[in-house]
Amino acid sequence: MIHVTIDGRRLTGRPGETILDVARRSGITIPALCAEERLEPFDACGVCSVEVEGRGVVRACSTPIADGMAVQTGSPAAREVRKAALELLLSNHWGDCVGPCQEACPAHTDCQAYVSLAANGRFEDGLRILYESLPLPASFGRICPAPCEDACRREVAEEPVQIREIKRFLGDLPTPYVPSVAAPTGKRVAVVGGGPAGLSAAYFLRRRGHEVVVIDAMPLMGGMLRYGIPEYRLPAAVIDREVAVLEAMGIVFRHGVRLGKDVSLEELEAEFDAVFLGLGAWGTHPMGLPGEDHPAVTQGTDFLRQVNEGARPRLPKKVVVVGGGNTAMDAARCARRLGADVTVVYRRSRDEMPALPHEVEEAVDEGVQFRFLTQPVEFLADDRSLTGIRCLEMQLGPPDDSGRRRPVPVAGSEFDLEAGAVLLAVGQSVDAAFLRSTGVELTKAGTVVAEPTTGRTSKPNVFAGGDAVTGPSIAVEAVGAGHRAAEAIDRYVRGGDPAAPRASYVHVKSDVTREDLGNPVVAPRVRTSERTPAERLRDFGEYEAGFTAEQAMAAGQRCLECGCLAFHDCALREYATEADASQDAFVGDVARERCDERHPFILREAGKCVSCGRCVRVCRELCGVSAIDFVGRGIEADVQVPFNRAWQDSDCVSCGACVDACPTGALSDRTVLEKQVPLVVERTASVCSLCGLGCDLELLSIDGAYLGTVAPEGGVLCARGRYGWHALREAQRITTPRVRRGSRLVDASWDDAFNVAAERLAAAKGSVAVIGTGLLTCEEGWVAKRIADLLASGSPVFDVRSDGPRVDVPSERLADLSALATPRALIVVVGPRSGHEKVVLDVMLRRAMQGGALLYSVGGKVPGAHAEIPLEALPALLEELRPEARTAARLKALGVPPDAVKLLRKPRNRAQLLVVEERTVAESALDHVVRFVADAGEARLIAVPASSNAVGLRRLGFGEALPAAKAWLCIGADPVGTQAGRQRLLGVETLVAASPIATATTERADVVLPMRWPFETRGRVLGAAGETSLVPGAQSAIEFETWQILAHLSRALGNGSLPSDFEAVSQAAMNAVRAARPTAVSAGGTAAALAAAIDRRLAENGIR
Amino acid sequence: MKAVREIRVGLATCGIAAGAQAVYDAVVREVAAAELPIPVKRVGCVGMCYGEPLVEVVAADGSVNRYGHAQPGDAAGIVGDAVAGGAPAGDLAVDSDDFLGRQVRIVLENCGCIDPESLEEYRSCDGYRGLERALREMTPGEVVAEMVASGLRGRGGAGFPTGTKWSLTAKEKASPKYMICNADEGDPGAFMDRSVLEGDPHRVLEGMLIAAYAIGASLGYVYVRAEYPLAIARLKRAIADARSAGLLGERILGSDFSFDLKIKEGAGAFVCGEETALIASIEGKRGMPRRRPPYPSTSGLHGKPTCINNVETLANIPWILRRGAAAFAAYGTETSKGTKVFALAGKVKRSGLIEVPMGMTIRDIVFGIGGGIQNDGELKAVQMGGPSGGCIPASLADTPVDYEALKATGAIVGSGGMIVLDQETCMVDVARFFLDFTQKESCGKCTFCRVGTKRMLEVLERICAGHGTTADLDRMLDLGRKVKANSLCALGQTAPNPILTTAAYFRDEYAAHIDEGACPAKVCKALLHFRIDAEACRNCKLCTRQCPASAISDGDGPYQRIDPVACVRCGRCKQVCPFGAVEVTTGRATT
């Protein structure tokens, strides 16, 4: 034992272990990009630098521990080297962590996610994502100036993606989404102001489980959204609907309560744990001109509030609006709708107008007149009424502080403009002076002083955000401020430090050109129908229709998918955040590599590669494949298939182990979604049922919907297990039950299908064959057996084949191979190993060899095997391996190299482990193995069953001989698709088939029942040694789980005793399995129909 | 008629490149035509690059007449001289006394003297006597002890004591063991190993055999770059001859010692000179270094104990075994024994391949052997140790050639590149040149070398283009120290040496580039301004016609004028102007 100290902790390690090994084992995190537990140290990235007392900075991954060694993982010297390494990597990293849209959004809305989800038609998921950062999607989908669209990369190609319109579409979905609320915290927060800032703060606080009361001076919630923006842009009904969602979440609204008048801040402070001030900017600036106090000279905001409250004031013929912002446009267009001739007077030119360009255009279309470079100097009135405005002509001088050219009066240019009423829209101000006495600090301009990242004010329990802090700004800014304040308040009321945590590192591409984007096909924005200006003037209805579902999908398709698929799972980003590394510490050329999409399932972005070599080494050292390697030298060294071929054109077996090994977004899996989306996905442990190995895997899903499959941490899958379901996604799926009427199969209800099937099967009672597959779970098998019993037709059978071998020796668990393969083990692999699963089995065998086991391969090739022996020599070999008969000469004669014979003798009495994949071995060979294991005392056997639940089904009584029958009930099986099956088809009068996809059998069937994919349906399977694994199921397009379909059929056949809940069925099934003697481990079977279909699809994608 | 022993023509790659093959053919023709009984011999390189093609007439008494810059047309005269006892004159006379006379030749003992394709000649020069002594009179342990006593240090660059390396490999128990000759000479401008392999290949084989005997190796590899076809051909011939003569294979020279070797041709990656990368390359993998330990002596080729020595190191060994360790240790300094071969190049009058005793000063080499600076210029610095070496300023010219003394200056002995720089050399440009090489040759494995060298180079490029800042420079130097400290192998660990040493000794030159936009040596094109002096111009328009950028046109008077925007700063106008009217200035103020 070696004693070391890491960060002051006394630890022990074994000789040969590195600092990183010991740290990882002890739960001490040392950042490392190139180090992988399954691989030898590579010593390349430099990120795992630590300081060893007396030795300076070393690499933790490759420095062996020594007695008395004292290690500091975060010393200043170590941190400096680590940071430099990361900054060098970042200087050569070409990628975006998130899309520029999200970066540009003040509320940090995950635009790419909901745009892409919309493109995939997954609207509810899109809305859910939207609600993660924006509580008022329908409102903002109408009025947001959309900084996201200004930043959109698609602009480089032609026009930005219509992010806001998609937002509107999602916000307008007919079924409202009410976000869930965390468990009550017992904390209470008062929110002052029901505008964007206040509603945002209230929403995010409520989601965290706090009790929230919003007070607002106005009769209804919404603030400026409701009272400042006209109906035709944002209908009140939209706001009502969104406020209702917030109310449904449990937020309490108190209307008509004005802070400082109806309630004091002190009172709120006394009643609540914290207060958020979202007061808005409701004040106005006087212009200070003669005649301004005339009653016909009013504030534009007052006018808009009046109109929004439903008033339709009679206006004089000539109305003048003063100002060039959005409020001016709103006031002018409302006045037009009320029948007035409207002139907008603005002291600069059109180019300097702060109003959104489309607002100005639409005002022009609606007949609003503009007088630019015009400055009012006096309001003119006679005895009865306002008559006009005296104005000066202006010209533009040099730029002022705002960067816009300052208007300067033209001498002697005075003129009068006719006006019966004037609406002033020259800017709003914050009216918070009443707070001065409360101890909340204000600026000279009267805004509340608050920290931008938390909203903290001068009082610890009072937070603020929105226009009251920033002065008049865009609403989405206020939403962001409300969100940040809510996070800070949450930390505060829970007794923590309200300060914002360090912002996580975000990498961006700079100076992106059209070429960098791969010269995307020009796809203009999707046009929606707009009312004509004349129609618009008739009422206050919305002037533009929202997207249809098709339009939303088409608009979403235009997204260029800038954000990184590894965003939520990137070690580089994590370490860069931790080290406070900067993208620009070292500036230089970057290889602007685009995404290589040639592999059907693996996306490769070389620009994001950090040359850690994990993919290359995993491929070679773990999988034994060597499909990829570094190519080129220096900074241009790059991981490639030589000659820049596509990966699937190399020796690649598409196991995806490289993707799992990649610490960044350089390699990622495509999901089954058509448009890829970086998402936080749910991971569910499951079991692969496509072959007898029964590998553990993880299903990736959102909202229960399947996205893809990955290997669990440290595991490996084959192409079939990993990408098989993905490959099948376009296969013709059966979703509706069908019944044959005459010569045609027609859609039917489930009940009809069950009844017809039951009736016809019952008619053939006594002569029905129930044909399943080795993929069925124990529960499904058990119900199938009940059906077979009901129909008095003997045992169900596996997929049709000739009689298979039977083995009477219990097998070891396959998962224990590495434990059984001790350094003194002799592993004899019998048979060639088959198909895709060979990859996984060989990884296990290679690990055993690396662990010191001696490996003989009989009748196949295992890379690196110590001896390869022809299958015919198996009996002779086994004879020689018997303890009493070890003659070196005869082993040599069998083709065992002298070295391997010598090794065999070395540790005396090698533990013998025979590994057989039943499917690939002839019965006679299996027979020899079985007899040997039975006789040879210590020898053990791992018999890999032919299919995932062969063991379980056999114990349930599944047989192999297909009896002659008048009716077939096929459950997932495709006998008609096999020659053997077709030969037996003669005389079959009734065929009922359950299947997930169309097969020859469903074509021929009289009743077709849709069936879930195996991973979508719950159930238990038995492994080689009878160990149980649970397939947890997943969301599916098929209403019933497979066991339920069989149960329904059973009931239709008159069996009322079947339990209807899964657990009860499962218990009954497992009892039956356990009651059976564990005799047989083998089930024959051609590859199940589904596995075969997957293999075909993979082959079509170039994957062998 | 004077007694002539032989006529030698240098036919190493360097000689062939200079046209020596035609000269050799012409000499053979002349000798045949005159029906003279004089052997005409192809030999390797004697090292006098400045005199190629070189013909030597060796008299019976061993005295030599050397004809430099020989052309085929000179053959008749040379043969005539040989017969008549004449001496080279005029252009053919080449000064060799200072160049050769000051050298001590152990490694290059036979280079340029013997026919490299003749085993007999090698044996006639005491060849394989060292091996005979080792096999017949010494145990492997005694051979190792002899090597330790000699003080020989590895000549590949790192200077690790050869005897120690052998003893480490010798004490390993695993078998088989491998002996590898590292002939992956990659430094630009270095050709020591090539010359030895081309001029005296048996010497390297003998060295390997002795080493293999000492460490107990049974199989060896010569890892030689494929760009050395002549070296490979001569090596193959030597191996074949040695094998037929019982010097290679089973039971060598009747002893119990068996050894065989293979040639592995490298594809020319600089990093494959690094021993772990070299091993990976022999194993058929990409040539990438790996961490050490374990050292190859413990776990090398195919995981077995492996000893790797460089060509020059091995070429010393037969001499040491023949003459004894003490004779070898008599040369050199306290810590650096024996001699070192250098490729002397740059702005020196006599460039070539030289071998000097360790401890000779740089000044003695440059001025004594090299004859001083070309055009009687002034020595500015000597760049030593190849692309990963450093620049030693003229003020430190009295530094002796010794591992420790050179290391103290920031440079290294390295494999033996020695480039003499004069005042017309821009030190920033020199640093840029070498860093450009190393960053391109980085294998790309470790972050600091792969990205760090590139980022440093980009700063140097900015400085050379007049866009650098002092902050940039300081950040680069800081990065350089980090690259040095944190790179995985010697390539990265030494790559910053050129910039660190030039910045230490010539900081003012960097400052001139950055602060004044000036290249004092007038090398960095972006910082140069070409202008025609109206007074001096005779309006001959020679420059105008020669200008490749059409940047020169009529001025306001009877003179030509250069458009500074169109000018590409090629310097052609200055070259062709008969009146010296083209002025070159540098710095921002003069634009």
Side-chain angles (χ1 to χ4, degrees), chain A residues 45 59 91 589 632-634, chain B residues 286 441-442 447 455 458 486:
Chain A
C45 72
R59 302 269 200 279
S91 78
D589 284 348
R633 288 184 208 158
Chain B
R286 177 178 163 91
E441 289 294 342
S442 163
T447 305
R455 295 294 172 248
E458 286 167 337
N486 294 292

Side-chain angles (χ1 to χ4, degrees), chain A residues 85-247:
Chain A
L86 286 164
E87 287 178 336
L88 285 170
L89 292 173
L90 295 172
S91 78
N92 194 38
H93 194 70
W94 178 247
D96 291 306
C97 291
V98 296
C101 45
Q102 186 176 351
E103 271 297 277
C105 177
H108 224 62
T109 320
D110 192 351
C111 312
Q112 184 184 337
Y114 67 78
V115 163
S116 298
L117 286 167
N120 285 308
R122 300 198 61 91
F123 302 136
E124 287 79 12
D125 290 322
L127 182 60
R128 194 169 45 77
I129 295 272
L130 204 36
Y131 261 105
E132 291 302 307
S133 46
L134 187 68
L136 306 164
S139 301
F140 279 76
R142 288 169 168 82
I143 55 98
C144 190
C148 51
E149 294 189 23
D150 295 339
C152 177
R153 283 270 164 69
R154 186 93 204 182
E155 175 103 314
V156 180
E158 73 274 297
E159 293 172 291
V161 173
Q162 286 147 294
I163 303 171
R164 189 191 55 216
E165 282 299 338
I166 292 172
K167 195 189 333 254
R168 172 176 169 182
F169 170 80
L170 295 174
D172 285 349
L173 285 177
T175 316
Y177 164 70
V178 180
S180 60
V181 172
T185 60
K187 303 292 177 187
R188 304 182 72 229
V189 184
V191 171
V192 183
L199 293 180
S200 164
Y203 165 80
F204 289 107
L205 283 164
R206 183 70 197 124
R207 287 202 73 176
R208 297 276 181 163
H210 307 300
E211 226 178 277
V212 184
V213 176
V214 182
I215 66 163
D216 193 283
M218 300 301 286
L220 290 169
M221 291 292 154
M224 276 295 178
L225 294 179
R226 184 184 296 276
Y227 295 106
I229 294 172
E231 275 281 316
Y232 63 87
R233 279 176 63 201
L234 175 54
V238 173
I239 303 175
D240 293 342
R241 192 165 173 258
E242 299 205 305
V243 171
V245 168
L246 303 180
E247 209 154 16

Side-chain angles (χ1 to χ4, degrees), chain B residues 188-270:
Chain B
F191 45 93
M192 295 76 61
D193 297 348
R194 188 193 70 204
S195 285
V196 173
L197 288 173
E198 288 178 355
D200 200 4
H202 282 286
R203 189 180 198 87
V204 181
L205 294 191
E206 187 182 354
M208 282 187 81
L209 283 158
I210 294 167
Y213 174 68
I215 64 170
S218 54
L219 187 61
Y221 285 91
V222 181
Y223 188 88
V224 54
R225 46 181 43 218
E227 292 99 319
Y228 282 0
L230 187 60
I232 292 168
R234 290 190 173 157
L235 205 48
K236 281 184 174 162
R237 171 81 189 263
I239 290 170
D241 289 350
R243 197 174 279 131
S244 332
L247 291 160
L248 209 54
E250 298 284 315
R251 304 184 61 81
I252 292 167
L253 293 173
S255 71
D256 286 341
F257 171 58
S258 299
F259 180 76
D260 212 336
L261 61 76
K262 294 175 182 171
I263 294 176
K264 170 78 188 177
E265 294 182 33
F270 180 64

Side-chain angles (χ1 to χ4, degrees), chain B residues 133-147:
Chain B
R133 181 179 164 224
L135 294 183
R136 292 188 177 141
E137 299 166 24
M138 300 167 85
T139 65
E142 286 166 352
V143 177
V144 172
E146 184 88 10
M147 204 47 55

Side-chain angles (χ1 to χ4, degrees), chain B residues 108-319:
Chain B
L108 302 178
E109 198 178 23
N110 296 335
C111 276
C113 301
I114 65 168
D115 179 349
E117 301 199 358
S118 163
L119 174 60
E120 288 69 40
E121 281 214 25
Y122 179 65
R123 294 196 93 158
S124 72
C125 299
D126 292 339
Y128 290 107
R129 292 277 296 281
L131 177 66
E132 284 171 18
R133 181 179 164 224
L135 294 183
R136 292 188 177 141
E137 299 166 24
M138 300 167 85
T139 65
E142 286 166 352
V143 177
V144 172
E146 184 88 10
M147 204 47 55
V148 172
S150 75
L152 175 65
R153 294 170 67 171
R155 299 293 193 238
F160 189 77
T162 307
T164 311
K165 204 179 222 182
W166 287 14
S167 64
L168 287 172
T169 322
K171 76 174 189 213
E172 288 293 329
K173 299 277 184 290
S175 77
K177 294 180 189 174
Y178 295 99
M179 177 66 216
I180 297 176
C181 167
N182 184 349
D184 191 55
E185 186 171 49
D187 291 4
F191 45 93
M192 295 76 61
D193 297 348
R194 188 193 70 204
S195 285
V196 173
L197 288 173
E198 288 178 355
D200 200 4
H202 282 286
R203 189 180 198 87
V204 181
L205 294 191
E206 187 182 354
M208 282 187 81
L209 283 158
I210 294 167
Y213 174 68
I215 64 170
S218 54
L219 187 61
Y221 285 91
V222 181
Y223 188 88
V224 54
R225 46 181 43 218
E227 292 99 319
Y228 282 0
L230 187 60
I232 292 168
R234 290 190 173 157
L235 205 48
K236 281 184 174 162
R237 171 81 189 263
I239 290 170
D241 289 350
R243 197 174 279 131
S244 332
L247 291 160
L248 209 54
E250 298 284 315
R251 304 184 61 81
I252 292 167
L253 293 173
S255 71
D256 286 341
F257 171 58
S258 299
F259 180 76
D260 212 336
L261 61 76
K262 294 175 182 171
I263 294 176
K264 170 78 188 177
E265 294 182 33
F270 180 64
V271 75
C272 285
E274 199 280 340
E275 56 184 19
T276 59
L278 184 151
I279 287 172
S281 177
I282 294 181
E283 288 172 346
K285 299 177 189 150
R286 177 178 163 91
M288 273 185 165
R290 62 157 173 82
R291 79 208 154 97
R292 297 180 303 181
Y295 291 94
S297 56
T298 317
S299 175
L301 186 61
H302 306 304
K304 300 295 180 187
T306 303
C307 178
I308 304 175
N309 287 133
N310 148 276
V311 169
E312 187 185 336
T313 312
L314 292 169
N316 273 298
I317 288 161
W319 194 96

Side-chain angles (χ1 to χ4, degrees), chain A residues 18 40-46 49 57 59 61-64 80-82 84-86 88-89 91-92 585-590 609-611 620 629-638, chain B residues 267-271 285-286 288-293 438-455 458-459 461-462 475-476 478-479 482-483 485-488:
Chain A
T18 64
E40 288 292 302
F42 194 51
D43 210 352
C45 72
S49 294
V57 176
R59 302 269 200 279
C61 72
S62 62
T63 306
E80 191 186 341
V81 174
R82 182 179 305 156
L86 286 164
L88 285 170
L89 292 173
S91 78
N92 194 38
F586 303 104
V587 187
D589 284 348
V590 181
C609 175
V610 292
S611 295
R620 180 170 56 219
D629 205 342
F630 286 102
V631 174
R633 288 184 208 158
I635 197 125
E636 282 162 17
D638 192 10
Chain B
F270 180 64
V271 75
K285 299 177 189 150
R286 177 178 163 91
M288 273 185 165
R290 62 157 173 82
R291 79 208 154 97
R292 297 180 303 181
T438 35
Q439 70 90 15
K440 280 184 180 138
E441 289 294 342
S442 163
C443 77
K445 180 172 174 179
C446 71
T447 305
F448 282 94
C449 179
R450 180 183 71 247
V451 192
T453 54
K454 175 72 175 175
R455 295 294 172 248
E458 286 167 337
V459 174
E461 283 169 344
R462 286 201 288 275
R475 214 175 299 128
M476 174 184 74
D478 179 56
L479 176 58
K482 288 196 172 100
V483 170
N486 294 292
S487 289
L488 177 59

Side-chain angles (χ1 to χ4, degrees), chain A residues 357-369:
Chain A
H358 74 91
E359 293 279 332
V360 182
E361 270 162 44
E362 284 154 13
V364 170
D365 292 346
E366 290 169 9
V368 175
Q369 307 287 311

